[in-house]
mmCIF file with all atom_site columns, all heavy atoms in Angstrom:
data_model
loop_
_atom_site.group_PDB
_atom_site.id
_atom_site.type_symbol
_atom_site.label_atom_id
_atom_site.label_alt_id
_atom_site.label_comp_id
_atom_site.label_asym_id
_atom_site.label_entity_id
_atom_site.label_seq_id
_atom_site.pdbx_PDB_ins_code
_atom_site.Cartn_x
_atom_site.Cartn_y
_atom_site.Cartn_z
_atom_site.occupancy
_atom_site.B_iso_or_equiv
_atom_site.pdbx_formal_charge
_atom_site.auth_seq_id
_atom_site.auth_comp_id
_atom_site.auth_asym_id
_atom_site.auth_atom_id
_atom_site.pdbx_PDB_model_num
ATOM 1  N N   . GLY U 1 310 ? 13.515 9.135  33.517 1.00 98.00 ? 314 GLY U N   1
ATOM 2  C CA  . GLY U 1 310 ? 13.763 9.884  32.291 1.00 98.00 ? 314 GLY U CA  1
ATOM 3  C C   . GLY U 1 310 ? 14.287 9.023  31.157 1.00 98.00 ? 314 GLY U C   1
ATOM 4  O O   . GLY U 1 310 ? 14.586 7.849  31.342 1.00 98.00 ? 314 GLY U O   1
ATOM 5  N N   . PHE U 1 311 ? 14.378 9.642  29.993 1.00 98.00 ? 315 PHE U N   1
ATOM 6  C CA  . PHE U 1 311 ? 14.812 8.898  28.805 1.00 98.00 ? 315 PHE U CA  1
ATOM 7  C C   . PHE U 1 311 ? 16.318 9.008  28.615 1.00 98.00 ? 315 PHE U C   1
ATOM 8  O O   . PHE U 1 311 ? 16.942 9.991  28.984 1.00 98.00 ? 315 PHE U O   1
ATOM 9  C CB  . PHE U 1 311 ? 14.069 9.364  27.546 1.00 98.00 ? 315 PHE U CB  1
ATOM 10 C CG  . PHE U 1 311 ? 14.187 10.838 27.243 1.00 98.00 ? 315 PHE U CG  1
ATOM 11 C CD1 . PHE U 1 311 ? 15.317 11.369 26.629 1.00 98.00 ? 315 PHE U CD1 1
ATOM 12 C CD2 . PHE U 1 311 ? 13.142 11.704 27.549 1.00 98.00 ? 315 PHE U CD2 1
ATOM 13 C CE1 . PHE U 1 311 ? 15.414 12.715 26.334 1.00 98.00 ? 315 PHE U CE1 1
ATOM 14 C CE2 . PHE U 1 311 ? 13.228 13.065 27.260 1.00 98.00 ? 315 PHE U CE2 1
ATOM 15 C CZ  . PHE U 1 311 ? 14.368 13.568 26.658 1.00 98.00 ? 315 PHE U CZ  1
ATOM 16 N N   . GLY U 1 312 ? 16.884 7.938  28.044 1.00 98.00 ? 316 GLY U N   1
ATOM 17 C CA  . GLY U 1 312 ? 18.307 7.925  27.721 1.00 98.00 ? 316 GLY U CA  1
ATOM 18 C C   . GLY U 1 312 ? 18.508 7.184  26.413 1.00 98.00 ? 316 GLY U C   1
ATOM 19 O O   . GLY U 1 312 ? 17.616 7.133  25.571 1.00 98.00 ? 316 GLY U O   1
ATOM 20 N N   . GLY U 1 313 ? 19.691 6.607  26.254 1.00 97.00 ? 317 GLY U N   1
ATOM 21 C CA  . GLY U 1 313 ? 19.982 5.861  25.033 1.00 97.00 ? 317 GLY U CA  1
ATOM 22 C C   . GLY U 1 313 ? 20.729 6.715  24.022 1.00 97.00 ? 317 GLY U C   1
ATOM 23 O O   . GLY U 1 313 ? 20.957 7.912  24.236 1.00 97.00 ? 317 GLY U O   1
ATOM 24 N N   . TYR U 1 314 ? 21.067 6.091  22.907 1.00 93.00 ? 318 TYR U N   1
ATOM 25 C CA  . TYR U 1 314 ? 21.874 6.772  21.904 1.00 93.00 ? 318 TYR U CA  1
ATOM 26 C C   . TYR U 1 314 ? 21.021 7.687  21.022 1.00 93.00 ? 318 TYR U C   1
ATOM 27 O O   . TYR U 1 314 ? 21.549 8.503  20.290 1.00 93.00 ? 318 TYR U O   1
ATOM 28 C CB  . TYR U 1 314 ? 22.593 5.725  21.044 1.00 93.00 ? 318 TYR U CB  1
ATOM 29 C CG  . TYR U 1 314 ? 23.659 6.327  20.153 1.00 93.00 ? 318 TYR U CG  1
ATOM 30 C CD1 . TYR U 1 314 ? 24.750 6.999  20.706 1.00 93.00 ? 318 TYR U CD1 1
ATOM 31 C CD2 . TYR U 1 314 ? 23.568 6.243  18.774 1.00 93.00 ? 318 TYR U CD2 1
ATOM 32 C CE1 . TYR U 1 314 ? 25.719 7.564  19.905 1.00 93.00 ? 318 TYR U CE1 1
ATOM 33 C CE2 . TYR U 1 314 ? 24.545 6.801  17.959 1.00 93.00 ? 318 TYR U CE2 1
ATOM 34 C CZ  . TYR U 1 314 ? 25.608 7.467  18.525 1.00 93.00 ? 318 TYR U CZ  1
ATOM 35 O OH  . TYR U 1 314 ? 26.575 8.027  17.729 1.00 93.00 ? 318 TYR U OH  1
ATOM 36 N N   . CYS U 1 315 ? 19.674 7.549  21.113 1.00 94.00 ? 319 CYS U N   1
ATOM 37 C CA  . CYS U 1 315 ? 18.844 8.267  20.142 1.00 94.00 ? 319 CYS U CA  1
ATOM 38 C C   . CYS U 1 315 ? 18.173 9.520  20.697 1.00 94.00 ? 319 CYS U C   1
ATOM 39 O O   . CYS U 1 315 ? 18.449 10.620 20.229 1.00 94.00 ? 319 CYS U O   1
ATOM 40 C CB  . CYS U 1 315 ? 17.806 7.322  19.573 1.00 94.00 ? 319 CYS U CB  1
ATOM 41 S SG  . CYS U 1 315 ? 18.559 5.891  18.807 1.00 94.00 ? 319 CYS U SG  1
ATOM 42 N N   . PHE U 1 316 ? 17.293 9.362  21.690 1.00 96.00 ? 320 PHE U N   1
ATOM 43 C CA  . PHE U 1 316 ? 16.487 10.512 22.120 1.00 96.00 ? 320 PHE U CA  1
ATOM 44 C C   . PHE U 1 316 ? 17.340 11.724 22.536 1.00 96.00 ? 320 PHE U C   1
ATOM 45 O O   . PHE U 1 316 ? 17.141 12.820 22.010 1.00 96.00 ? 320 PHE U O   1
ATOM 46 C CB  . PHE U 1 316 ? 15.542 10.121 23.256 1.00 96.00 ? 320 PHE U CB  1
ATOM 47 C CG  . PHE U 1 316 ? 14.287 9.411  22.801 1.00 96.00 ? 320 PHE U CG  1
ATOM 48 C CD1 . PHE U 1 316 ? 14.086 9.111  21.463 1.00 96.00 ? 320 PHE U CD1 1
ATOM 49 C CD2 . PHE U 1 316 ? 13.306 9.049  23.703 1.00 96.00 ? 320 PHE U CD2 1
ATOM 50 C CE1 . PHE U 1 316 ? 12.946 8.455  21.034 1.00 96.00 ? 320 PHE U CE1 1
ATOM 51 C CE2 . PHE U 1 316 ? 12.157 8.403  23.297 1.00 96.00 ? 320 PHE U CE2 1
ATOM 52 C CZ  . PHE U 1 316 ? 11.972 8.103  21.960 1.00 96.00 ? 320 PHE U CZ  1
ATOM 53 N N   . PRO U 1 317 ? 18.281 11.564 23.483 1.00 96.00 ? 321 PRO U N   1
ATOM 54 C CA  . PRO U 1 317 ? 19.018 12.760 23.920 1.00 96.00 ? 321 PRO U CA  1
ATOM 55 C C   . PRO U 1 317 ? 19.767 13.421 22.753 1.00 96.00 ? 321 PRO U C   1
ATOM 56 O O   . PRO U 1 317 ? 19.718 14.648 22.588 1.00 96.00 ? 321 PRO U O   1
ATOM 57 C CB  . PRO U 1 317 ? 20.007 12.209 24.955 1.00 96.00 ? 321 PRO U CB  1
ATOM 58 C CG  . PRO U 1 317 ? 19.398 10.922 25.427 1.00 96.00 ? 321 PRO U CG  1
ATOM 59 C CD  . PRO U 1 317 ? 18.684 10.371 24.237 1.00 96.00 ? 321 PRO U CD  1
ATOM 60 N N   . LYS U 1 318 ? 20.396 12.614 21.923 1.00 93.00 ? 322 LYS U N   1
ATOM 61 C CA  . LYS U 1 318 ? 21.203 13.136 20.816 1.00 93.00 ? 322 LYS U CA  1
ATOM 62 C C   . LYS U 1 318 ? 20.304 13.759 19.736 1.00 93.00 ? 322 LYS U C   1
ATOM 63 O O   . LYS U 1 318 ? 20.572 14.859 19.263 1.00 93.00 ? 322 LYS U O   1
ATOM 64 C CB  . LYS U 1 318 ? 22.005 11.959 20.226 1.00 93.00 ? 322 LYS U CB  1
ATOM 65 C CG  . LYS U 1 318 ? 22.757 12.234 18.952 1.00 93.00 ? 322 LYS U CG  1
ATOM 66 C CD  . LYS U 1 318 ? 23.613 11.049 18.573 1.00 93.00 ? 322 LYS U CD  1
ATOM 67 C CE  . LYS U 1 318 ? 22.871 9.970  17.849 1.00 93.00 ? 322 LYS U CE  1
ATOM 68 N NZ  . LYS U 1 318 ? 22.702 10.143 16.411 1.00 93.00 ? 322 LYS U NZ  1
ATOM 69 N N   . ASP U 1 319 ? 19.233 13.057 19.384 1.00 92.00 ? 323 ASP U N   1
ATOM 70 C CA  . ASP U 1 319 ? 18.363 13.553 18.313 1.00 92.00 ? 323 ASP U CA  1
ATOM 71 C C   . ASP U 1 319 ? 17.636 14.827 18.725 1.00 92.00 ? 323 ASP U C   1
ATOM 72 O O   . ASP U 1 319 ? 17.440 15.738 17.921 1.00 92.00 ? 323 ASP U O   1
ATOM 73 C CB  . ASP U 1 319 ? 17.339 12.485 17.921 1.00 92.00 ? 323 ASP U CB  1
ATOM 74 C CG  . ASP U 1 319 ? 17.998 11.313 17.215 1.00 92.00 ? 323 ASP U CG  1
ATOM 75 O OD1 . ASP U 1 319 ? 19.223 11.376 16.994 1.00 92.00 ? 323 ASP U OD1 1
ATOM 76 O OD2 . ASP U 1 319 ? 17.298 10.335 16.900 1.00 92.00 ? 323 ASP U OD2 1
ATOM 77 N N   . LEU U 1 320 ? 17.242 14.855 19.997 1.00 95.00 ? 324 LEU U N   1
ATOM 78 C CA  . LEU U 1 320 ? 16.548 16.043 20.504 1.00 95.00 ? 324 LEU U CA  1
ATOM 79 C C   . LEU U 1 320 ? 17.470 17.264 20.406 1.00 95.00 ? 324 LEU U C   1
ATOM 80 O O   . LEU U 1 320 ? 17.078 18.324 19.927 1.00 95.00 ? 324 LEU U O   1
ATOM 81 C CB  . LEU U 1 320 ? 16.173 15.778 21.971 1.00 95.00 ? 324 LEU U CB  1
ATOM 82 C CG  . LEU U 1 320 ? 15.085 16.602 22.595 1.00 95.00 ? 324 LEU U CG  1
ATOM 83 C CD1 . LEU U 1 320 ? 13.784 16.432 21.850 1.00 95.00 ? 324 LEU U CD1 1
ATOM 84 C CD2 . LEU U 1 320 ? 14.890 16.193 24.059 1.00 95.00 ? 324 LEU U CD2 1
ATOM 85 N N   . ARG U 1 321 ? 18.704 17.078 20.834 1.00 94.00 ? 325 ARG U N   1
ATOM 86 C CA  . ARG U 1 321 ? 19.669 18.177 20.811 1.00 94.00 ? 325 ARG U CA  1
ATOM 87 C C   . ARG U 1 321 ? 19.942 18.618 19.369 1.00 94.00 ? 325 ARG U C   1
ATOM 88 O O   . ARG U 1 321 ? 19.999 19.799 19.054 1.00 94.00 ? 325 ARG U O   1
ATOM 89 C CB  . ARG U 1 321 ? 20.973 17.745 21.481 1.00 94.00 ? 325 ARG U CB  1
ATOM 90 C CG  . ARG U 1 321 ? 21.480 18.755 22.476 1.00 94.00 ? 325 ARG U CG  1
ATOM 91 C CD  . ARG U 1 321 ? 22.385 18.139 23.504 1.00 94.00 ? 325 ARG U CD  1
ATOM 92 N NE  . ARG U 1 321 ? 21.688 17.205 24.359 1.00 94.00 ? 325 ARG U NE  1
ATOM 93 C CZ  . ARG U 1 321 ? 22.293 16.206 25.013 1.00 94.00 ? 325 ARG U CZ  1
ATOM 94 N NH1 . ARG U 1 321 ? 23.587 16.010 24.879 1.00 94.00 ? 325 ARG U NH1 1
ATOM 95 N NH2 . ARG U 1 321 ? 21.591 15.410 25.794 1.00 94.00 ? 325 ARG U NH2 1
#
Side-chain angles (χ1 to χ4, degrees):
F315 57 80
Y318 191 61
C319 302
F320 280 3
K322 172 174 82 83
D323 291 357
L324 200 60
R325 228 157 294 156

